Amino acid sequence: MLGSSYAFLFANNYRYKWGPSTEFAYDESVGITSWRELHPESGRTLDRVKLGRLHERFSWGLSMKGEIVQPHYSVFANIGYDLIHSHKKESRIYQILGVKLYLQNNLFGTFGIRATDLCRAQYLYWNLGYTFTTKKRQKSL
């Protein structure tokens, strides 16, 4: 599993942020099939795995993100829709719940879970991220 995300968050006050987000993921386990077969010469049982098609392993979604900020951590939630989605058995609507831990001024780590239907977990994840800050404009006279 490999992924990337970007969120443009608005800070209405110092405790709450919200805004649009996008998530891109490559999941090698999508469409995978496995079976056991008996080797004709040795008589051993062998495990076989066949990966799904390459284009089915990618997904890309748009979501809305909300984040409650605490002094050393944040709790966040996303609700989104996969625009590129090849998981035939899973819904395109997804949810993400997670915790963000601030490691340095702009460096953070997150741990979260992505699910569909508010109950079916797709995967757990952790990542490192960086916050780009913008300078506030000064009012001119």
Side-chain angles (χ1 to χ4, degrees):
M1 178 76 194
L2 179 68
S4 177
S5 67
Y6 178 78
F8 187 83
L9 300 179
F10 302 99
N12 291 354
N13 58 45
Y14 68 97
R15 288 282 187 217
Y16 185 71
K17 298 177 187 176
W18 67 276
S21 176
T22 183
E23 292 85 28
F24 173 79
Y26 169 77
D27 188 356
E28 195 171 44
S29 68
V30 173
I32 198 168
T33 54
S34 63
W35 67 94
R36 288 196 166 167
E37 80 183 17
L38 189 63
H39 191 276
E41 295 173 8
S42 68
R44 288 191 198 173
T45 305
L46 302 174
D47 293 330
R48 300 290 186 196
V49 175
K50 181 182 176 189
L51 297 177
R53 289 182 270 173
L54 182 64
H55 74 277
E56 293 178 346
R57 301 181 207 168
F58 293 96
S59 67
W60 173 60
L62 296 175
S63 67
M64 284 302 290
K65 180 176 187 172
E67 187 173 317
I68 298 172
V69 180
Q70 297 298 316
H72 300 288
Y73 69 96
S74 294
V75 178
F76 63 90
N78 295 33
I79 186 158
Y81 183 81
D82 275 331
L83 299 172
I84 297 175
H85 177 81
S86 296
H87 310 276
K88 305 253 188 280
K89 297 179 182 176
E90 296 176 355
S91 170
R92 286 181 175 257
I93 297 172
Y94 65 90
Q95 305 81 37
I96 299 175
L97 297 172
V99 176
K100 180 190 290 187
L101 300 171
Y102 300 106
L103 305 173
Q104 294 289 326
N105 289 339
N106 290 349
L107 185 67
F108 62 86
T110 61
F111 177 78
I113 184 169
R114 179 178 157 137
T116 59
D117 301 328
L118 293 172
C119 64
R120 188 172 309 216
Q122 289 181 309
Y123 52 83
L124 296 172
Y125 71 92
W126 64 270
N127 67 19
L128 289 174
Y130 187 82
T131 302
F132 297 98
T133 56
T134 58
K135 294 180 182 179
K136 292 187 178 186
R137 288 191 256 170
Q138 294 180 356
K139 294 181 181 179
S140 58
L141 298 174

